[in-house]
mmCIF file of all heavy atoms in Angstrom:
data_model
loop_
_atom_site.group_PDB
_atom_site.id
_atom_site.type_symbol
_atom_site.label_atom_id
_atom_site.label_comp_id
_atom_site.label_asym_id
_atom_site.label_seq_id
_atom_site.Cartn_x
_atom_site.Cartn_y
_atom_site.Cartn_z
ATOM 1 N N GLY A 280 15.694 5.344 -12.307
ATOM 2 C CA GLY A 280 15.887 5.521 -13.763
ATOM 3 C C GLY A 280 14.525 5.706 -14.454
ATOM 4 O O GLY A 280 14.526 5.882 -15.678
ATOM 5 N N VAL A 281 13.431 5.671 -13.763
ATOM 6 C CA VAL A 281 12.122 6.006 -14.359
ATOM 7 C C VAL A 281 11.261 6.799 -13.323
ATOM 8 O O VAL A 281 11.518 6.739 -12.128
ATOM 9 C CB VAL A 281 11.283 4.692 -14.656
ATOM 10 C CG1 VAL A 281 11.745 4.023 -15.932
ATOM 11 C CG2 VAL A 281 11.279 3.781 -13.497
ATOM 12 N N ARG A 282 10.377 7.589 -13.893
ATOM 13 C CA ARG A 282 9.369 8.245 -13.040
ATOM 14 C C ARG A 282 8.085 7.448 -13.177
ATOM 15 O O ARG A 282 7.790 6.883 -14.215
ATOM 16 C CB ARG A 282 9.126 9.666 -13.566
ATOM 17 C CG ARG A 282 10.228 10.598 -13.125
ATOM 18 C CD ARG A 282 9.669 11.786 -12.346
ATOM 19 N NE ARG A 282 10.811 12.429 -11.685
ATOM 20 C CZ ARG A 282 11.655 13.232 -12.346
ATOM 21 N NH1 ARG A 282 11.476 13.472 -13.629
ATOM 22 N NH2 ARG A 282 12.682 13.780 -11.731
ATOM 23 N N HIS A 283 7.246 7.566 -12.196
ATOM 24 C CA HIS A 283 5.966 6.778 -12.069
ATOM 25 C C HIS A 283 6.012 5.485 -12.855
ATOM 26 O O HIS A 283 5.349 5.274 -13.864
ATOM 27 C CB HIS A 283 4.721 7.637 -12.444
ATOM 28 C CG HIS A 283 4.949 8.599 -13.589
ATOM 29 N ND1 HIS A 283 4.736 8.163 -14.886
ATOM 30 C CD2 HIS A 283 5.274 9.892 -13.706
ATOM 31 C CE1 HIS A 283 4.984 9.185 -15.718
ATOM 32 N NE2 HIS A 283 5.324 10.225 -14.997
ATOM 33 N N PRO A 284 6.816 4.530 -12.343
ATOM 34 C CA PRO A 284 7.120 3.283 -13.067
ATOM 35 C C PRO A 284 5.822 2.457 -13.346
ATOM 36 O O PRO A 284 5.862 1.615 -14.225
ATOM 37 C CB PRO A 284 8.046 2.548 -12.109
ATOM 38 C CG PRO A 284 7.883 3.200 -10.791
ATOM 39 C CD PRO A 284 7.520 4.624 -11.059
ATOM 40 N N CYS A 285 4.777 2.610 -12.602
ATOM 41 C CA CYS A 285 3.646 1.688 -12.751
ATOM 42 C C CYS A 285 2.600 2.224 -13.779
ATOM 43 O O CYS A 285 1.647 1.565 -14.067
ATOM 44 C CB CYS A 285 2.967 1.478 -11.433
ATOM 45 S SG CYS A 285 4.050 0.760 -10.232
ATOM 46 N N ASN A 286 2.827 3.417 -14.283
ATOM 47 C CA ASN A 286 1.789 3.985 -15.169
ATOM 48 C C ASN A 286 2.533 4.867 -16.173
ATOM 49 O O ASN A 286 2.893 6.001 -15.862
ATOM 50 C CB ASN A 286 0.860 4.788 -14.273
ATOM 51 C CG ASN A 286 -0.246 5.426 -15.071
ATOM 52 O OD1 ASN A 286 -0.532 5.044 -16.171
ATOM 53 N ND2 ASN A 286 -0.917 6.440 -14.480
ATOM 54 N N ASP A 287 2.677 4.346 -17.368
ATOM 55 C CA ASP A 287 3.237 5.105 -18.452
ATOM 56 C C ASP A 287 4.625 5.700 -18.044
ATOM 57 O O ASP A 287 4.806 6.887 -17.963
ATOM 58 C CB ASP A 287 2.255 6.271 -18.812
ATOM 59 C CG ASP A 287 2.510 6.756 -20.227
ATOM 60 O OD1 ASP A 287 3.366 6.162 -20.915
ATOM 61 O OD2 ASP A 287 1.879 7.695 -20.615
ATOM 62 N N PRO A 288 5.577 4.816 -17.722
ATOM 63 C CA PRO A 288 6.892 5.305 -17.135
ATOM 64 C C PRO A 288 7.612 6.241 -18.046
ATOM 65 O O PRO A 288 7.539 6.042 -19.277
ATOM 66 C CB PRO A 288 7.628 3.963 -16.875
ATOM 67 C CG PRO A 288 6.857 2.874 -17.470
ATOM 68 C CD PRO A 288 5.521 3.328 -17.837
ATOM 69 N N GLU A 289 8.325 7.059 -17.435
ATOM 70 C CA GLU A 289 9.110 8.065 -18.190
ATOM 71 C C GLU A 289 10.545 7.869 -17.756
ATOM 72 O O GLU A 289 10.869 7.932 -16.617
ATOM 73 C CB GLU A 289 8.560 9.418 -17.690
ATOM 74 C CG GLU A 289 9.083 10.622 -18.351
ATOM 75 C CD GLU A 289 8.576 11.862 -17.596
ATOM 76 O OE1 GLU A 289 7.353 11.894 -17.276
ATOM 77 O OE2 GLU A 289 9.350 12.757 -17.328
ATOM 78 N N LYS A 290 11.382 7.631 -18.742
ATOM 79 C CA LYS A 290 12.830 7.393 -18.435
ATOM 80 C C LYS A 290 13.467 8.666 -17.888
ATOM 81 O O LYS A 290 13.275 9.739 -18.457
ATOM 82 C CB LYS A 290 13.593 6.897 -19.691
ATOM 83 C CG LYS A 290 13.400 5.397 -19.928
ATOM 84 C CD LYS A 290 14.647 4.833 -20.553
ATOM 85 C CE LYS A 290 14.773 3.356 -20.471
ATOM 86 N NZ LYS A 290 13.612 2.593 -20.317
ATOM 87 N N ILE A 291 14.270 8.524 -16.878
ATOM 88 C CA ILE A 291 14.986 9.759 -16.401
ATOM 89 C C ILE A 291 16.432 9.285 -16.025
ATOM 90 O O ILE A 291 16.683 8.077 -15.866
ATOM 91 C CB ILE A 291 14.402 10.357 -15.121
ATOM 92 C CG1 ILE A 291 14.231 9.262 -14.009
ATOM 93 C CG2 ILE A 291 13.082 11.028 -15.417
ATOM 94 C CD1 ILE A 291 14.216 9.858 -12.602
ATOM 95 N N ASP A 292 17.318 10.247 -15.959
ATOM 96 C CA ASP A 292 18.685 9.889 -15.441
ATOM 97 C C ASP A 292 18.546 9.773 -13.934
ATOM 98 O O ASP A 292 17.947 10.596 -13.314
ATOM 99 C CB ASP A 292 19.682 10.970 -15.804
ATOM 100 C CG ASP A 292 19.891 10.960 -17.289
ATOM 101 O OD1 ASP A 292 19.781 9.866 -17.909
ATOM 102 O OD2 ASP A 292 20.300 11.957 -17.854
ATOM 103 N N SER A 293 19.169 8.758 -13.318
ATOM 104 C CA SER A 293 19.182 8.648 -11.875
ATOM 105 C C SER A 293 19.919 9.859 -11.359
ATOM 106 O O SER A 293 21.052 10.107 -11.723
ATOM 107 C CB SER A 293 19.791 7.329 -11.437
ATOM 108 O OG SER A 293 18.999 6.328 -11.831
ATOM 109 N N ALA A 294 19.258 10.555 -10.454
ATOM 110 C CA ALA A 294 19.898 11.712 -9.849
ATOM 111 C C ALA A 294 20.369 11.368 -8.428
ATOM 112 O O ALA A 294 20.081 10.315 -7.937
ATOM 113 C CB ALA A 294 18.911 12.848 -9.778
ATOM 114 N N SER A 295 21.160 12.230 -7.881
ATOM 115 C CA SER A 295 21.516 11.978 -6.497
ATOM 116 C C SER A 295 20.347 12.316 -5.622
ATOM 117 O O SER A 295 19.425 13.029 -6.013
ATOM 118 C CB SER A 295 22.751 12.793 -6.096
ATOM 119 O OG SER A 295 22.316 14.123 -5.844
ATOM 120 N N ASP A 296 20.363 11.766 -4.475
ATOM 121 C CA ASP A 296 19.148 11.861 -3.593
ATOM 122 C C ASP A 296 19.175 13.107 -2.768
ATOM 123 O O ASP A 296 19.935 13.258 -1.861
ATOM 124 C CB ASP A 296 19.191 10.606 -2.703
ATOM 125 C CG ASP A 296 18.052 10.534 -1.810
ATOM 126 O OD1 ASP A 296 16.963 11.010 -2.225
ATOM 127 O OD2 ASP A 296 18.231 10.004 -0.720
ATOM 128 N N SER A 297 18.298 14.041 -3.090
ATOM 129 C CA SER A 297 18.180 15.163 -2.223
ATOM 130 C C SER A 297 16.750 15.310 -1.696
ATOM 131 O O SER A 297 15.809 15.040 -2.461
ATOM 132 C CB SER A 297 18.523 16.508 -3.004
ATOM 133 O OG SER A 297 17.549 16.760 -3.982
ATOM 134 N N TYR A 298 16.592 15.570 -0.482
ATOM 135 C CA TYR A 298 15.294 15.548 0.157
ATOM 136 C C TYR A 298 15.231 16.659 1.193
ATOM 137 O O TYR A 298 16.152 16.806 1.994
ATOM 138 C CB TYR A 298 15.072 14.175 0.830
ATOM 139 C CG TYR A 298 13.716 13.892 1.357
ATOM 140 C CD1 TYR A 298 12.655 13.580 0.505
ATOM 141 C CD2 TYR A 298 13.443 13.975 2.733
ATOM 142 C CE1 TYR A 298 11.398 13.293 0.972
ATOM 143 C CE2 TYR A 298 12.181 13.724 3.230
ATOM 144 C CZ TYR A 298 11.145 13.411 2.387
ATOM 145 O OH TYR A 298 9.916 13.070 2.866
ATOM 146 N N ALA A 299 14.134 17.412 1.132
ATOM 147 C CA ALA A 299 14.074 18.581 2.056
ATOM 148 C C ALA A 299 13.373 18.121 3.333
ATOM 149 O O ALA A 299 12.141 17.918 3.342
ATOM 150 C CB ALA A 299 13.280 19.715 1.399
ATOM 151 N N PHE A 300 14.130 17.966 4.356
ATOM 152 C CA PHE A 300 13.557 17.612 5.653
ATOM 153 C C PHE A 300 12.840 18.821 6.215
ATOM 154 O O PHE A 300 13.210 20.015 5.964
ATOM 155 C CB PHE A 300 14.573 17.091 6.693
ATOM 156 C CG PHE A 300 15.002 15.715 6.356
ATOM 157 C CD1 PHE A 300 16.138 15.466 5.615
ATOM 158 C CD2 PHE A 300 14.323 14.628 6.892
ATOM 159 C CE1 PHE A 300 16.545 14.184 5.300
ATOM 160 C CE2 PHE A 300 14.706 13.344 6.594
ATOM 161 C CZ PHE A 300 15.818 13.071 5.786
ATOM 162 N N LEU A 301 11.795 18.588 7.017
ATOM 163 C CA LEU A 301 11.044 19.695 7.570
ATOM 164 C C LEU A 301 11.957 20.418 8.549
ATOM 165 O O LEU A 301 12.792 19.817 9.247
ATOM 166 C CB LEU A 301 9.824 19.202 8.329
ATOM 167 C CG LEU A 301 8.847 18.398 7.496
ATOM 168 C CD1 LEU A 301 7.726 17.869 8.376
ATOM 169 C CD2 LEU A 301 8.274 19.314 6.439
ATOM 170 N N PRO A 302 11.900 21.760 8.556
ATOM 171 C CA PRO A 302 12.786 22.493 9.421
ATOM 172 C C PRO A 302 12.390 22.458 10.872
ATOM 173 O O PRO A 302 11.176 22.338 11.212
ATOM 174 C CB PRO A 302 12.690 23.970 8.911
ATOM 175 C CG PRO A 302 11.335 23.985 8.271
ATOM 176 C CD PRO A 302 11.009 22.627 7.771
ATOM 177 N N ALA A 303 13.321 22.395 11.769
ATOM 178 C CA ALA A 303 13.092 22.613 13.193
ATOM 179 C C ALA A 303 14.121 23.606 13.593
ATOM 180 O O ALA A 303 15.314 23.314 13.619
ATOM 181 C CB ALA A 303 13.247 21.329 13.961
ATOM 182 N N GLU A 304 13.665 24.795 13.902
ATOM 183 C CA GLU A 304 14.688 25.872 14.148
ATOM 184 C C GLU A 304 14.602 26.423 15.549
ATOM 185 O O GLU A 304 13.633 26.278 16.270
ATOM 186 C CB GLU A 304 14.393 27.025 13.182
ATOM 187 C CG GLU A 304 14.916 26.710 11.804
ATOM 188 C CD GLU A 304 14.248 27.571 10.723
ATOM 189 O OE1 GLU A 304 13.449 28.469 11.060
ATOM 190 O OE2 GLU A 304 14.588 27.338 9.554
ATOM 191 N N GLY A 305 15.709 26.965 16.011
ATOM 192 C CA GLY A 305 15.766 27.520 17.355
ATOM 193 C C GLY A 305 17.143 27.407 17.856
ATOM 194 O O GLY A 305 17.921 26.466 17.413
ATOM 195 N N GLU A 306 17.544 28.242 18.757
ATOM 196 C CA GLU A 306 18.966 28.285 19.186
ATOM 197 C C GLU A 306 19.540 26.964 19.673
ATOM 198 O O GLU A 306 20.524 26.516 19.155
ATOM 199 C CB GLU A 306 19.082 29.399 20.242
ATOM 200 C CG GLU A 306 20.441 29.818 20.607
ATOM 201 C CD GLU A 306 21.299 30.110 19.402
ATOM 202 O OE1 GLU A 306 20.892 30.864 18.485
ATOM 203 O OE2 GLU A 306 22.394 29.595 19.306
ATOM 204 N N PRO A 307 18.904 26.291 20.619
ATOM 205 C CA PRO A 307 19.620 25.144 21.157
ATOM 206 C C PRO A 307 19.371 23.862 20.398
ATOM 207 O O PRO A 307 19.876 22.798 20.774
ATOM 208 C CB PRO A 307 19.020 25.024 22.575
ATOM 209 C CG PRO A 307 17.630 25.543 22.484
ATOM 210 C CD PRO A 307 17.594 26.487 21.289
ATOM 211 N N LEU A 308 18.687 23.897 19.240
ATOM 212 C CA LEU A 308 18.341 22.634 18.560
ATOM 213 C C LEU A 308 19.463 22.111 17.755
ATOM 214 O O LEU A 308 20.217 22.917 17.149
ATOM 215 C CB LEU A 308 17.106 22.854 17.712
ATOM 216 C CG LEU A 308 15.797 23.116 18.365
ATOM 217 C CD1 LEU A 308 14.676 23.178 17.380
ATOM 218 C CD2 LEU A 308 15.493 22.167 19.476
ATOM 219 N N HIS A 309 19.635 20.837 17.760
ATOM 220 C CA HIS A 309 20.581 20.210 16.841
ATOM 221 C C HIS A 309 19.926 18.989 16.211
ATOM 222 O O HIS A 309 18.941 18.439 16.711
ATOM 223 C CB HIS A 309 21.864 19.805 17.586
ATOM 224 C CG HIS A 309 21.645 18.861 18.693
ATOM 225 N ND1 HIS A 309 21.196 19.238 19.942
ATOM 226 C CD2 HIS A 309 21.820 17.486 18.785
ATOM 227 C CE1 HIS A 309 21.098 18.188 20.716
ATOM 228 N NE2 HIS A 309 21.403 17.126 20.040
ATOM 229 N N GLN A 310 20.429 18.546 15.086
ATOM 230 C CA GLN A 310 19.882 17.475 14.365
ATOM 231 C C GLN A 310 20.753 16.208 14.457
ATOM 232 O O GLN A 310 21.955 16.305 14.454
ATOM 233 C CB GLN A 310 19.752 17.764 12.834
ATOM 234 C CG GLN A 310 18.582 18.722 12.579
ATOM 235 C CD GLN A 310 18.114 18.663 11.138
ATOM 236 O OE1 GLN A 310 18.811 18.170 10.304
ATOM 237 N NE2 GLN A 310 16.919 19.131 10.874
ATOM 238 N N ILE A 311 20.105 15.100 14.633
ATOM 239 C CA ILE A 311 20.789 13.820 14.638
ATOM 240 C C ILE A 311 20.261 12.964 13.504
ATOM 241 O O ILE A 311 19.148 12.520 13.572
ATOM 242 C CB ILE A 311 20.597 13.092 15.955
ATOM 243 C CG1 ILE A 311 20.852 13.994 17.151
ATOM 244 C CG2 ILE A 311 21.504 11.840 16.037
ATOM 245 C CD1 ILE A 311 20.468 13.442 18.487
ATOM 246 N N PRO A 312 21.046 12.716 12.429
ATOM 247 C CA PRO A 312 20.567 11.835 11.366
ATOM 248 C C PRO A 312 20.977 10.421 11.647
ATOM 249 O O PRO A 312 22.038 10.143 12.090
ATOM 250 C CB PRO A 312 21.340 12.331 10.151
ATOM 251 C CG PRO A 312 22.525 13.069 10.651
ATOM 252 C CD PRO A 312 22.314 13.326 12.158
ATOM 253 N N VAL A 313 20.026 9.501 11.523
ATOM 254 C CA VAL A 313 20.303 8.069 11.779
ATOM 255 C C VAL A 313 19.809 7.228 10.574
ATOM 256 O O VAL A 313 18.668 7.339 10.115
ATOM 257 C CB VAL A 313 19.552 7.607 13.046
ATOM 258 C CG1 VAL A 313 19.843 6.093 13.283
ATOM 259 C CG2 VAL A 313 19.903 8.412 14.252
ATOM 260 N N GLY A 314 20.699 6.376 10.112
ATOM 261 C CA GLY A 314 20.307 5.444 9.040
ATOM 262 C C GLY A 314 20.504 6.070 7.675
ATOM 263 O O GLY A 314 21.008 7.187 7.515
ATOM 264 N N PRO A 315 20.297 5.277 6.573
ATOM 265 C CA PRO A 315 19.479 4.093 6.516
ATOM 266 C C PRO A 315 20.099 2.850 7.149
ATOM 267 O O PRO A 315 19.371 1.938 7.557
ATOM 268 C CB PRO A 315 19.221 3.871 5.067
ATOM 269 C CG PRO A 315 20.402 4.496 4.375
ATOM 270 C CD PRO A 315 20.737 5.701 5.256
ATOM 271 N N VAL A 316 21.441 2.715 7.197
ATOM 272 C CA VAL A 316 22.007 1.523 7.802
ATOM 273 C C VAL A 316 22.082 1.764 9.320
ATOM 274 O O VAL A 316 22.646 2.736 9.794
ATOM 275 C CB VAL A 316 23.410 1.237 7.207
ATOM 276 C CG1 VAL A 316 24.006 0.030 7.910
ATOM 277 C CG2 VAL A 316 23.348 0.986 5.737
ATOM 278 N N HIS A 317 21.414 0.881 10.025
ATOM 279 C CA HIS A 317 21.353 1.017 11.491
ATOM 280 C C HIS A 317 22.388 0.147 12.198
ATOM 281 O O HIS A 317 22.950 -0.678 11.562
ATOM 282 C CB HIS A 317 19.963 0.644 12.034
ATOM 283 C CG HIS A 317 18.863 1.464 11.488
ATOM 284 N ND1 HIS A 317 18.778 2.833 11.701
ATOM 285 C CD2 HIS A 317 17.806 1.161 10.678
ATOM 286 C CE1 HIS A 317 17.699 3.303 11.061
ATOM 287 N NE2 HIS A 317 17.120 2.343 10.409
ATOM 288 N N ALA A 318 22.501 0.337 13.487
ATOM 289 C CA ALA A 318 23.518 -0.373 14.222
ATOM 290 C C ALA A 318 23.178 -1.816 14.458
ATOM 291 O O ALA A 318 24.047 -2.650 14.659
ATOM 292 C CB ALA A 318 23.824 0.337 15.567
ATOM 293 N N GLY A 319 21.943 -2.203 14.516
ATOM 294 C CA GLY A 319 21.553 -3.568 14.782
ATOM 295 C C GLY A 319 21.216 -4.321 13.474
ATOM 296 O O GLY A 319 21.488 -3.897 12.423
ATOM 297 N N ILE A 320 20.619 -5.512 13.709
ATOM 298 C CA ILE A 320 20.221 -6.309 12.542
ATOM 299 C C ILE A 320 18.783 -5.934 12.293
ATOM 300 O O ILE A 320 17.864 -6.603 12.635
ATOM 301 C CB ILE A 320 20.325 -7.839 12.831
ATOM 302 C CG1 ILE A 320 21.785 -8.159 13.273
ATOM 303 C CG2 ILE A 320 19.931 -8.656 11.608
ATOM 304 C CD1 ILE A 320 22.006 -9.602 13.739
ATOM 305 N N ILE A 321 18.599 -4.770 11.663
ATOM 306 C CA ILE A 321 17.267 -4.326 11.393
ATOM 307 C C ILE A 321 17.168 -3.716 10.009
ATOM 308 O O ILE A 321 18.190 -3.488 9.370
ATOM 309 C CB ILE A 321 16.680 -3.318 12.435
ATOM 310 C CG1 ILE A 321 17.659 -2.207 12.719
ATOM 311 C CG2 ILE A 321 16.252 -4.009 13.707
ATOM 312 C CD1 ILE A 321 17.087 -1.097 13.586
ATOM 313 N N GLU A 322 15.944 -3.475 9.589
ATOM 314 C CA GLU A 322 15.675 -2.976 8.232
ATOM 315 C C GLU A 322 16.165 -1.518 8.080
ATOM 316 O O GLU A 322 16.254 -0.823 9.049
ATOM 317 C CB GLU A 322 14.239 -3.136 7.887
ATOM 318 C CG GLU A 322 13.688 -4.518 7.982
ATOM 319 C CD GLU A 322 12.257 -4.647 7.589
ATOM 320 O OE1 GLU A 322 11.992 -4.647 6.398
ATOM 321 O OE2 GLU A 322 11.423 -4.688 8.490
ATOM 322 N N PRO A 323 16.438 -1.091 6.827
ATOM 323 C CA PRO A 323 16.930 0.258 6.662
ATOM 324 C C PRO A 323 15.828 1.296 6.484
ATOM 325 O O PRO A 323 14.860 1.101 5.780
ATOM 326 C CB PRO A 323 17.749 0.101 5.336
ATOM 327 C CG PRO A 323 17.229 -1.066 4.623
ATOM 328 C CD PRO A 323 16.501 -1.919 5.577
ATOM 329 N N GLY A 324 16.086 2.421 7.122
ATOM 330 C CA GLY A 324 15.203 3.570 7.038
ATOM 331 C C GLY A 324 16.003 4.730 7.636
ATOM 332 O O GLY A 324 17.016 4.496 8.258
ATOM 333 N N HIS A 325 15.502 5.956 7.373
ATOM 334 C CA HIS A 325 16.280 7.079 7.909
ATOM 335 C C HIS A 325 15.419 7.845 8.914
ATOM 336 O O HIS A 325 14.233 8.053 8.660
ATOM 337 C CB HIS A 325 16.652 8.027 6.746
ATOM 338 C CG HIS A 325 17.480 9.148 7.165
ATOM 339 N ND1 HIS A 325 18.802 9.131 7.292
ATOM 340 C CD2 HIS A 325 17.098 10.381 7.582
ATOM 341 C CE1 HIS A 325 19.269 10.320 7.743
ATOM 342 N NE2 HIS A 325 18.231 11.088 7.892
ATOM 343 N N PHE A 326 16.038 8.176 10.018
ATOM 344 C CA PHE A 326 15.360 8.998 11.043
ATOM 345 C C PHE A 326 16.115 10.264 11.242
ATOM 346 O O PHE A 326 17.350 10.215 11.417
ATOM 347 C CB PHE A 326 15.267 8.232 12.392
ATOM 348 C CG PHE A 326 14.476 6.956 12.237
ATOM 349 C CD1 PHE A 326 15.155 5.696 12.179
ATOM 350 C CD2 PHE A 326 13.151 6.983 12.152
ATOM 351 C CE1 PHE A 326 14.411 4.538 12.030
ATOM 352 C CE2 PHE A 326 12.376 5.798 12.020
ATOM 353 C CZ PHE A 326 13.021 4.576 11.924
ATOM 354 N N ARG A 327 15.382 11.383 11.243
ATOM 355 C CA ARG A 327 16.046 12.662 11.478
ATOM 356 C C ARG A 327 15.504 13.235 12.769
ATOM 357 O O ARG A 327 14.286 13.613 12.830
ATOM 358 C CB ARG A 327 15.773 13.574 10.235
ATOM 359 C CG ARG A 327 16.440 14.917 10.250
ATOM 360 C CD ARG A 327 17.957 14.755 10.093
ATOM 361 N NE ARG A 327 18.369 14.148 8.915
ATOM 362 C CZ ARG A 327 18.897 14.791 7.849
ATOM 363 N NH1 ARG A 327 19.087 16.111 7.904
ATOM 364 N NH2 ARG A 327 19.314 14.143 6.775
ATOM 365 N N PHE A 328 16.341 13.252 13.787
ATOM 366 C CA PHE A 328 15.903 13.811 15.088
ATOM 367 C C PHE A 328 16.326 15.261 15.211
ATOM 368 O O PHE A 328 17.446 15.587 14.902
ATOM 369 C CB PHE A 328 16.546 13.053 16.255
ATOM 370 C CG PHE A 328 16.206 11.583 16.321
ATOM 371 C CD1 PHE A 328 17.018 10.656 15.736
ATOM 372 C CD2 PHE A 328 15.059 11.182 17.006
ATOM 373 C CE1 PHE A 328 16.697 9.308 15.800
ATOM 374 C CE2 PHE A 328 14.769 9.852 17.108
ATOM 375 C CZ PHE A 328 15.600 8.899 16.507
ATOM 376 N N SER A 329 15.365 16.074 15.665
ATOM 377 C CA SER A 329 15.759 17.436 16.070
ATOM 378 C C SER A 329 15.663 17.400 17.582
ATOM 379 O O SER A 329 14.580 17.120 18.107
ATOM 380 C CB SER A 329 14.805 18.487 15.524
ATOM 381 O OG SER A 329 14.889 18.472 14.073
ATOM 382 N N ALA A 330 16.726 17.692 18.234
ATOM 383 C CA ALA A 330 16.740 17.483 19.707
ATOM 384 C C ALA A 330 17.208 18.791 20.411
ATOM 385 O O ALA A 330 17.968 19.580 19.841
ATOM 386 C CB ALA A 330 17.679 16.343 20.098
#
Side-chain angles (χ1 to χ4, degrees):
Chain A
V281 283
R282 282 238 165 77
H283 40 84
C285 298
N286 181 18
D287 204 2
E289 182 188 317
K290 278 214 162 23
I291 54 154
D292 289 335
S293 292
S295 78
D296 180 32
S297 68
Y298 187 76
F300 284 93
L301 301 174
E304 284 160 0
E306 193 49 50
L308 294 187
H309 59 282
Q310 284 203 341
I311 311 171
V313 180
V316 178
H317 300 295
I320 304 173
I321 47 171
E322 301 181 79
H325 183 88
F326 299 103
R327 186 67 61 105
F328 297 94
S329 298

